[in-house]
């Protein structure tokens, strides 16, 4: 297990690929993948987007612009690294925020008011994600790297979702679980992605299958919206499903499709499920409590059934007994329960609280990656794993 970036010490992670603004700070000791988490802030835009029932890119960018500097300040204060200067620093440094004046002024004046903190590298998400959101975080990270003269490490958001699963908390440290688990099959299930991969080693992947239309998380979000439930849809559907589970008759029949459950390949499709929910919803006169709960139960069952069935095929085809899961949907209670009940499969899951978007996974992944020249770092909205 190597630290490719060749630094020891503290890594600041920045994640703005979608609608959450996240900054984290970890400290690594003895050059080992074992970290003390000094700070991990997630500022969620949920309430804002709830009003619209989805994510609006320009709105998301504006929120990142507003949030980044205050969150950076809170990170430094919480980890006791903020040292105020008596006289403002007037040294020139490169700004990458000229087109982003809200952020520029706030960050410039803050950086000039503090001493260079004891941070050794900056990690930032470069994709996949929304282009304006990604650039906001990248330009912010570049400005810090240039002001503090420290390396910057570009990170793939999807890879970070998988790598954080390889870590668990022990004795107050976030530790690498087991060096021997790779190669393994990986299932990534988030709001934007649903993919099965073969993870040969950290940094080496082979795509086995992916969704042909909506991602699993997107299906939770869209069906929740059809049913008039809140955003994000996953937790809302899951809550209602749990209510129904207590009441339902075990002989109740399935009434929503399990798309592509029996197809031989490892691809997914969730838009048919969404359409089935829409038609069903249009046919009911009134959305009763029982109706909503039973629908939620079926939606969750359908998505979880398909995810597990395809993962099992992938394991078999690749002669593997280890499944690594990552992404927001892995917070799903039913998915975790059913995966834990599988015989002969070791399932590696992210620690509770690290499933949905966060910057901790960005800092941690940076340990395994190399820095890149500042001018070469660009947003890559469609970045893939390979
Ligand atoms: O990984 P993530 O935070 O963001 C992306 O990279 O997309 O995943 C967000 C997705 C959303 O679609 C949300 O509805 C889903 O994860 N999600 C859940 C649960 N918690 C979040 N889906 C099902 N059950 C949950 N408990
Ligand atoms: Zn994500």
């Amino acid at each position: 297990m190597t630290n490719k970036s060749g630094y020891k010490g503290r890594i600041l992670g920045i994640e703005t690929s979608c609608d959450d603004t996240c900054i984290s700070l970890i400290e690594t000791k003895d050059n080992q993948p074992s970290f003390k988490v000094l700070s991990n802030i997630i500022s969620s835009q949920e309430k804002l987007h709830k009003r619209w029932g989805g994510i609006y890119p320009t709105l998301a960018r504006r929120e990142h612009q507003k949030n980044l500097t205050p969150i950076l300040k809170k990170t430094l204060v919480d980890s006791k690294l903020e040292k105020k200067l008596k006289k403002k620093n007037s040294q020139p440094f490169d700004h990458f925020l000229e087109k982003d004046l809200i952020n520029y002024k706030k960050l410039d004046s803050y950086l000039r008011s503090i001493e260079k903190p004891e941070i050794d590298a900056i990690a930032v998400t470069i994709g996949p994600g929304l282009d304006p959101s990604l650039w906001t975080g990248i330009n912010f990270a570049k400005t810090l790297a240039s002001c503090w003269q420290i390396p910057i490490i570009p990170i793939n958001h999807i890879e970070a979702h998988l790598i954080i699963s390889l870590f668990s908390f022990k004795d107050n440290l976030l530790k690498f679980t087991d060096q021997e688990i790779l190669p393994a099959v990986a299932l990534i299930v988030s709001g934007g992605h649903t993919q099965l991969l073969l993870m040969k080693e950290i940094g080496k992947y082979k795509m086995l299958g992916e969704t042909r239309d909506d991602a699993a998380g997107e299906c939770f979000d869209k069906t929740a919206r059809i049913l008039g439930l809140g955003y994000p849809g996953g937790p809302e559907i899951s809550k209602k499903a749990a209510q129904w589970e207590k009441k339902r008759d075990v002989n109740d029949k399935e009434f929503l499709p399990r798309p592509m459950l029996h197809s031989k390949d490892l691809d997914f499709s969730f838009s048919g499920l969404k359409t089935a929910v829409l038609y069903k919803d249009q046919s009911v006169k009134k959305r009763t409590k029982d109706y909503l709960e039973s629908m939620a139960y079926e939606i969750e069952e359908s998505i979880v059934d398909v995810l597990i069935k395809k993962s099992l095929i992938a394991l078999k085809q690749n002669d593997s007994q280890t499944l690594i899961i990552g992404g927001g949907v892995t917070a799903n209670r039913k998915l975790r329960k059913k995966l834990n009940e599988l015989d002969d499969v070791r399932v590696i899951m992210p620690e509770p609280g690290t499933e949905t978007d966060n910057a901790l996974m960005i800092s941690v992944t940076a340990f395994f990656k190399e820095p890149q020249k500042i001018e070469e770092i660009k947003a890559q909205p469609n970045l893939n794993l390979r």
Side-chain angles (χ1 to χ4, degrees):
M1 209 38 54
T2 52
N3 173 352
K4 294 216 167 111
S5 22
Y7 51 79
K8 305 181 181 90
R10 303 200 179 100
I11 311 172
L12 185 82
I14 297 173
E15 153 64 45
T16 63
S17 65
C18 192
D19 58 342
D20 296 324
T21 318
C22 318
I23 298 188
S24 81
L25 185 62
I26 60 171
E27 184 172 277
T28 152
K29 292 234 164 63
D30 310 322
N31 227 3
Q32 291 299 311
S34 173
F35 310 112
K36 197 166 153 193
V37 180
L38 301 179
S39 175
N40 181 28
I41 301 175
I42 301 168
S43 168
S44 162
Q45 301 182 15
E46 250 167 52
K47 280 203 199 68
L48 187 74
H49 294 291
K50 221 171 200 165
R51 293 196 353 234
W52 310 97
I55 296 160
Y56 278 74
T58 46
L59 217 60
R61 176 178 60 185
R62 220 173 47 217
E63 283 303 297
H64 291 312
Q65 290 173 340
K66 274 206 305 222
N67 293 338
L68 277 164
T69 303
I71 297 179
L72 173 70
K73 180 173 168 60
K74 187 164 167 35
T75 303
L76 297 184
V77 171
D78 288 355
S79 47
K80 302 196 169 49
L81 293 180
E82 187 198 66
K83 295 198 183 77
K84 285 276 181 193
L85 287 168
K86 289 211 180 67
K87 193 169 152 262
K88 279 211 164 200
N89 166 11
S90 58
Q91 286 233 325
F93 57 85
D94 279 340
H95 252 299
F96 294 85
L97 296 165
E98 282 83 3
K99 288 193 200 129
D100 175 0
L101 281 180
I102 318 179
N103 221 346
Y104 182 105
K105 287 186 190 150
K106 258 202 278 186
L107 182 62
D108 186 77
S109 99
Y110 180 57
L111 288 180
R112 294 193 184 287
S113 74
I114 58 167
E115 245 177 61
K116 173 189 177 310
E118 287 169 37
I119 290 174
D120 304 273
I122 296 189
V124 64
T125 305
I126 56 158
L130 301 168
D131 191 70
S133 292
L134 289 165
W135 270 117
T136 309
I138 291 171
N139 285 333
F140 188 85
K142 286 184 175 189
T143 307
L144 298 184
S146 128
C147 179
W148 298 337
Q149 295 290 304
I150 53 179
I152 177 165
I153 304 154
I155 302 295
N156 178 323
H157 178 91
I158 299 295
E159 184 173 28
H161 268 308
L162 293 178
I163 288 183
I164 195 66
S165 298
L166 307 180
F167 283 80
S168 50
F169 283 109
K170 242 181 253 144
D171 313 322
N172 263 329
L173 290 176
L174 191 56
K175 288 190 173 170
F176 196 65
T177 337
D178 181 351
Q179 318 239 355
E180 306 297 319
I181 59 173
L182 300 178
V185 171
L187 172 70
I188 170 90
V189 271
S190 70
H193 290 80
T194 299
Q195 294 176 336
L196 274 162
L197 301 148
L198 182 65
M199 189 169 179
K200 297 178 207 164
E201 55 186 75
I202 290 179
K204 275 205 183 138
Y205 305 87
K206 183 180 157 202
M207 179 83 76
L208 302 172
E210 66 183 323
T211 185
R212 296 183 181 173
D213 39 62
D214 294 347
E218 192 177 2
C219 185
F220 274 112
D221 296 336
K222 287 182 173 170
T223 52
R225 184 163 190 205
I226 291 169
L227 297 173
L229 306 174
Y231 173 87
E236 299 284 331
I237 297 266
S238 198
K239 256 185 269 164
K240 290 250 175 323
Q243 292 304 319
W244 190 247
E245 186 153 17
K246 290 187 221 151
K247 304 182 192 168
R248 71 184 281 273
D249 183 333
V250 286
N251 297 315
D252 281 354
K253 292 226 163 52
E254 295 175 9
F255 61 86
L256 289 176
R258 269 66 176 157
M260 301 193 40
L261 189 66
H262 300 293
S263 76
K264 293 269 177 310
D265 57 29
L266 295 173
D267 284 346
F268 301 89
S269 164
F270 291 103
S271 72
L273 176 59
K274 173 186 68 189
T275 312
V277 170
L278 181 68
Y279 288 157
K280 173 85 189 166
D281 193 63
Q282 285 169 342
S283 75
V284 295
K285 286 205 186 72
K286 191 168 174 275
R287 293 186 188 130
T288 62
K289 191 163 179 265
D290 278 1
Y291 162 74
L292 287 175
E293 288 175 2
S294 62
M295 285 294 274
Y297 180 86
E298 268 289 299
I299 293 166
E300 187 176 62
E301 284 286 311
S302 168
I303 295 174
V304 168
D305 282 354
V306 177
L307 292 176
I308 293 185
K309 174 82 185 292
K310 295 276 170 162
S311 301
L312 289 174
I313 302 175
L315 286 163
K316 197 159 177 218
Q317 285 181 358
N318 289 278
D319 201 15
S320 169
Q321 275 84 43
T322 308
L323 179 69
I324 300 164
I325 62 170
V329 178
T330 66
N332 186 268
R333 193 190 44 92
K334 187 48 112 11
L335 177 66
R336 286 184 167 241
K337 180 164 177 284
K338 286 198 172 179
L339 284 173
N340 276 326
E341 285 166 2
L342 294 175
D343 294 325
D344 308 325
V345 181
R346 180 175 174 204
V347 185
I348 312 288
M349 307 183 182
E351 283 276 0
T354 66
E355 305 99 333
T356 48
D357 288 352
N358 62 82
L360 186 57
M361 65 186 196
I362 306 304
S363 310
V364 165
T365 301
F367 180 87
F368 304 98
K369 302 287 166 184
E370 286 172 62
Q372 210 174 334
K373 283 200 191 112
I374 213 164
E375 59 278 12
E376 283 170 9
I377 295 177
K378 292 190 176 68
Q380 296 187 41
N382 302 313
L383 188 62
N384 247 319
L385 280 182
R386 61 176 117 238

